[in-house]
Amino acid sequence: MKKWISLLSFCYLFIACKDASKQEAKAQKPTQPNVVLIFTDDQGYQDVGVFGAEDIATPNLDQMAKDGVKLTSFYSAQAVCSASRAGILTGCYPNRIGIHNAMMPNSNVGLHPSETTIAEMLKDKGYATAIYGKWHLGDHPDFLPTKNGFDEWFGIPYSNDMWPLHPQQGPIFDFGPLPLYQNETVIDTLTDQSQLTTQITEHSVDFINRNKEKPFFLYVPHPQPHVPLYVSDKFKGKSNRGLYGDVIMEIDWSVGQIMQTLEKNDLTDNTIVIFTSDNGPWLAYGNHAGSAKPYREGKGTAWEGGQREPFLIKYPNQLEGGETVDAPVMAIDILPTIAELTGAKLPENIIDGKNVWPLISGVSSESPQEAYFFYYRVNELFGVRYGKWKLYFPHRYRTMVGGTPGGDGLPGNYTMVDLKEIELYDLEADESEIINVANEHPEIVEKIKTLADQMRSRLGDSLRDMEGSETREPGRVTKS
């Protein structure tokens, strides 16, 4: 009998010690939140179920909205690839730091070493950092992700259409092979991109598994749904919107794989997950482009369809699920908001973004930014968002209205339109920007013009031949 009691006591002691070990291990998990930033390419506002898509199934993104917060007036930093990426990673208007347009292969410019990325900011706090996907902030070795705070990189250095299979190769472009990088080494050149979303996802899952015991920053800038569209066999023909819809479904699957990995490793509650896109849909590509409805125009314009993007954020430790924020926020605000949540030090250089956590978390209903400024091309100020108002200055923009979009991977031709006078829109009453109310609200026009002049003094405006006092040069290399 004593032996049985002793054995029973031993079992209880063993179980208690095991439970204590589990609790200790759990207590040793990092208290700083992990950060996952998922950034798609050319995805339209309406290309997610909870943002209005009826012909594309996005169950994982829809669940993310239920578990987190949906922002309905989130803007990319600019309506084009390189500039947009510069904005979200540095917290700056891209023109402040000399990044314009979409960099071409073998560019002699890139992100300046003095600029601080989210990866560098968090690396100083002991975070593991990785990027899996498209970089597009300089393909010279001096400008690669591993020189900008990222411990690991798997992906491509610029857009996935910058390759010999471009439909306009020869008459317009002369692209070389599209390299696939592992850190600073080219491991392949791509002729088929159908496995790229899967590979990016596998690398992301592996990174989380390897770094579950310390804080990490995972940046997943998918090359899709930028044309050319590619999807793996597991999603081919699955959507009701053709190949484009199939691609979005695979991206949604990728989000689900990342979420499942966080859950498996007991990291869900303490991980900030953000999903958004770099700019609106490339409408010239017709059925291979997304939808920005109900908003006007798309990629390459400052109209709402060019920069208003789907945005979801999930952080169970601090956010109630199922909330919606309608106040404007821009990609430049992501870095300072992450700094606030992680206790990281803000960059020493001047940045433009502000901490929007009080807005996202429901503490405040007002954006901390008085206005947002919409630049395009090389430092041309096209428009300003001020509260519910959006004002446009005279400028030239492109449109497919009245034209014939391309299809099945071939682009149509844009028409160039000159906006000759200032136009003002009330986005609460007229989200599609149809009715110009500038004459009815001269006081709003004057207020926004004043704000624009103040920004022009700082960042300049090529449309007025103005140079700003606060702009910085990009990184430059001398080509041999």
Side-chain angles (χ1 to χ4, degrees), residues 53 60 75 92 98 105 167 215 231 289 314 324 356 402 447:
N60 294 296
Y75 294 98
C92 297
V231 71
K314 177 182 175 181
T324 297
V356 292
K447 173 62 177 179

Side-chain angles (χ1 to χ4, degrees), residues 40-56 225-227 229 240-241 243-245 248 275 277 279-299 303-311 432:
T40 61
D41 198 331
D42 290 4
Q43 185 170 356
Y45 182 90
Q46 198 188 40
D47 297 334
V48 177
V50 291
F51 285 90
E54 297 179 350
D55 49 4
I56 308 174
H226 191 292
V227 291
L229 299 178
N240 292 321
R241 208 202 291 180
L243 180 56
Y244 184 88
I248 298 298
F275 177 91
S277 184
N279 49 246
W282 202 345
L283 299 177
Y285 279 86
N287 64 343
H288 280 201
S291 171
K293 292 180 180 178
Y295 301 113
R296 182 172 173 178
E297 299 295 347
K299 173 180 178 172
W303 300 101
E304 288 292 280
Q307 287 180 244
R308 195 188 284 220
E309 295 301 315
F311 183 99
S432 300

Side-chain angles (χ1 to χ4, degrees), residues 104-176:
M104 300 297 279
N106 303 309
S107 173
N108 69 339
V109 300
L111 197 59
H112 197 283
S114 68
E115 304 299 343
T116 301
T117 66
I118 296 174
E120 288 171 311
M121 180 182 76
L122 294 180
K123 196 172 176 64
D124 286 346
K125 292 286 291 181
Y127 279 63
T129 60
I131 167 178
Y132 302 121
K134 168 182 163 179
W135 174 236
H136 217 171
L137 287 172
D139 63 330
H140 187 276
D142 289 353
F143 302 136
L144 294 180
T146 49
K147 299 294 175 57
N148 284 281
F150 290 98
D151 300 325
E152 302 178 20
W153 176 37
F154 171 86
I156 58 177
Y158 32 73
S159 292
N160 66 327
D161 66 336
M162 295 178 177
W163 66 338
L165 298 178
H166 194 286
Q168 296 168 314
Q169 178 83 345
I172 298 177
F173 300 114
D174 184 23
F175 291 126

